[in-house]
């Protein structure tokens, strides 16, 4: 079991490096052609203006191991892949909003579809792994955006992150990189937060 | 009586304006900045399971994943099963229809009731369809149920306050109701002994409060979930909740009050259609068998008699 757990895919945003450039969220929106108002990824700044405490970080679906969204969905449209990526079936989703209430990160998004502001099917970060439709089909791209994982590519947000604050990959790999960074703080050139 | 009618007309018009104003406010609130995914997102995130938060996120997750559908299933199966047993073991009360009748429900009463009844006939099954959406495969069928659930709320929302007002004075509990409870409304036997009850018996009163006050709670909590990203600052201020916690609280309240509403709705249908044969006609044509009033609403009958109305 533990070896299984170790190979789960995770995001991690190193807030020592995040410069609030918003590149990740723009890249995400463009790559997946998201409608305006749907932000699968968002950069937020905490403790704004408080010296020494202010930092920015990038948030999206964290692909929780115990995915609360999956536990509450009344139509059971979520599925968790072997590698831990949490995906959902938009054709099943009724746009009830329960997943949003359960989610600790405010990740599920709801495009305003119909008249009277009815909510459309939920949209969220797929870790660039598409959805239940045929892999890399037009239908999959239309509903869920690119399936970069199937093509062996890194999710677009992390791929383009200029400071490499946003990390993604197997949990232990991400942890390893972060550990190296932490242990090299204050040594040589790496002492500057962005490394240049 | 006539002066009363014009008063009623004025009240109705005011009420109508009130509804329009509410809708207008809702749309204004709707157009504002996002309270969920905008600047408020961090506030919302901090509300999740932190020590100083209300812990509504984990609470909702636990309740919805482990209890809500199961309890609804228990009600859906349990309540009708109990009544089926009652029907088989004790059987219905049958009153002769064709005897003298008493006029009980005015046209206005019946109209309001029928609008609410039609709404409930849609609201309750579609609500169940959403709760058991996974068993029904989700998708367009459940999406339709969800849309109908929202749509059927509108007529109910229009009549719920008139209904609340028109039956309020008959719905306060009194000593008759205690006696009624002691004998479970006389439903445990087929004997026709006068049963202590006014215009409404204790069971009907319970249903009245759940349907009106509970109904209003259902409307408000449902509307919150439906509009989701609205901006009502005072609501956040007086509750001390972030937007997302208001939604979580709404979902919890909607389900819990929903238990009571559906349980009593099923009871109401059973009583009026099956347990007391033909009782449903009183809300259709406004008349009730004198015999039925005499037995089932004995205190009310006495009052009518004292007033010389029968
Ligand atoms: S949507 Fe939210 S709850 Fe579900 S996996 Fe993503 S972060 Fe976790
Ligand atoms: S909005 Fe869709 S995915 Fe989310 S809980 Fe409802 S049906 Fe499931």
């Amino acid at each position: 079991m533990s070896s299984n757990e170790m190979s789960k895919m995770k995001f991690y945003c190193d807030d020592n490096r995040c410069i609030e450039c918003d590149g990740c969220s723009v890249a995400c929106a463009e790559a997946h052609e998201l409608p305006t108002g749907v932000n699968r990824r968002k950069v937020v700044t905490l403790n704004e203006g408080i010296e020494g405490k202010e930092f920015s970080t990038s948030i999206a679906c964290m692909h929780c191991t115990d995915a609360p969204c999956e536990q509450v969905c009344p139509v059971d449209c979520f599925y968790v892949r072997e590698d831990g990526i949490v995906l959902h079936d938009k054709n099943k989703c009724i746009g009830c909003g329960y997943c949003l209430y359960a989610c600790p990160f405010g990740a599920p998004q709801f495009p305003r579809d119909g008249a009277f502001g009815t909510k459309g099917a939920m949209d969220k970060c797929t870790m660039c792994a598409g959805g239940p439709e045929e892999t890399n089909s037009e239908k999959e791209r239309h509903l869920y955006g690119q399936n970069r994982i199937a093509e062996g590519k890194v999710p677009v947000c992390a791929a383009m992150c200029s400071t490499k604050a946003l990390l993604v990959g197997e949990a232990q790999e991400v942890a390893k990189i972060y550990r190296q960074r932490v242990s090299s703080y204050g040594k040589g050139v790496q002492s500057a937060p962005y490394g240049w | 009586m006539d002066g009363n009618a014009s008063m009623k007309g004025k009240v109705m018009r005011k009420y109508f304006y009130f509804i329009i104003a509410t809708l207008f406010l809702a749309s204004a609130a709707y157009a504002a900045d996002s309270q969920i995914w905008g600047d408020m997102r961090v506030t919302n995130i901090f509300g999740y399971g932190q020590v100083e938060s209300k812990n509504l996120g984990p609470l909702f997750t636990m309740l919805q994943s482990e209890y809500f559908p199961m309890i609804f299933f228990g009600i859906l199966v349990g309540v009708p099963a109990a009544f089926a047993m009652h029907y088989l073991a004790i059987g219905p009360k049958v009153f002769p229809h064709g005897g003298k009748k008493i006029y009980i429900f005015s046209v206005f009463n019946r109209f309001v009731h029928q609008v609410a009844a039609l709404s409930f006939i849609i609201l309750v099954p579609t609500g169940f369809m959403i709760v058991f959406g996974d068993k029904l495969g989700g998708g367009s069928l459940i999406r339709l149920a969800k849309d109908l659930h929202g749509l059927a709320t509108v007529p109910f929302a229009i009549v719920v306050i008139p209904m609340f007002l028109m039956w309020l004075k008959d719905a306060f509990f009194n000593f008759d109701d205690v006696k009624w409870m002691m004998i479970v409304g006389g439903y445990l036997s087929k004997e026709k002994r006068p049963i202590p009850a006014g215009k409404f018996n204790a069971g009907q009163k319970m249903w009245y409060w759940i349907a009106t006050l509970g109904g209003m709670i259902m409307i408000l909590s449902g509307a919150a979930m439906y509009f989701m990203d609205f901006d009502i600052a005072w609501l956040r201020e007086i509750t001390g909740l972030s937007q997302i916690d208001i939604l979580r609280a709404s979902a919890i309240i909607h389900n819990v009050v929903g238990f009571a509403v559906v349980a009593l709705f099923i009871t109401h249908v059973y009583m009026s259609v099956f347990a007391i044969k033909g009782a449903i006609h009183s809300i259709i044509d406004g008349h009730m068998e004198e015999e039925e009033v005499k037995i089932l609403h004995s205190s009310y009958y006495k009052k009518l008699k004292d007033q010389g109305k029968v």
Side-chain angles (χ1 to χ4, degrees), chain A residues 60-64 67-70 78 86 99 102-108 124:
Chain A
C61 171
M62 299 300 276
H63 299 271
C64 310
C69 53
E70 186 262 349
F78 288 90
V86 178
C99 48
C103 176
F105 303 100
K124 73 167 190 69

Side-chain angles (χ1 to χ4, degrees), chain A residues 42 46 59 71-72 74 91-95 98 101-106 108-110 112 116-119, chain B residues 30 37 41-42 45-46 48 60-61 64-65 130 133-134 137 139 142-143 146 225-226 228-229 244 247-248 255:
Chain A
K42 187 173 171 67
L46 289 101
I59 42 175
Q71 296 177 39
V72 299
N91 290 320
K92 260 194 185 176
C93 170
I94 60 168
Y98 274 18
Y101 313 158
C103 176
F105 303 100
Q109 310 278 306
F110 294 89
R112 275 170 205 159
F116 311 115
T118 47
K119 300 184 286 287
Chain B
Y30 204 46
W37 297 287
R41 184 153 172 181
V42 172
I45 290 175
F46 275 135
Y48 197 93
F60 168 73
T61 304
Q64 167 61 19
S65 64
I130 298 167
D134 52 346
I142 309 302
R143 228 171 282 142
K146 194 198 87 169
M225 291 191 282
Y226 182 90
M228 188 151 77
D229 200 0
I244 203 94
L247 295 171
R248 286 167 182 151
N255 278 277

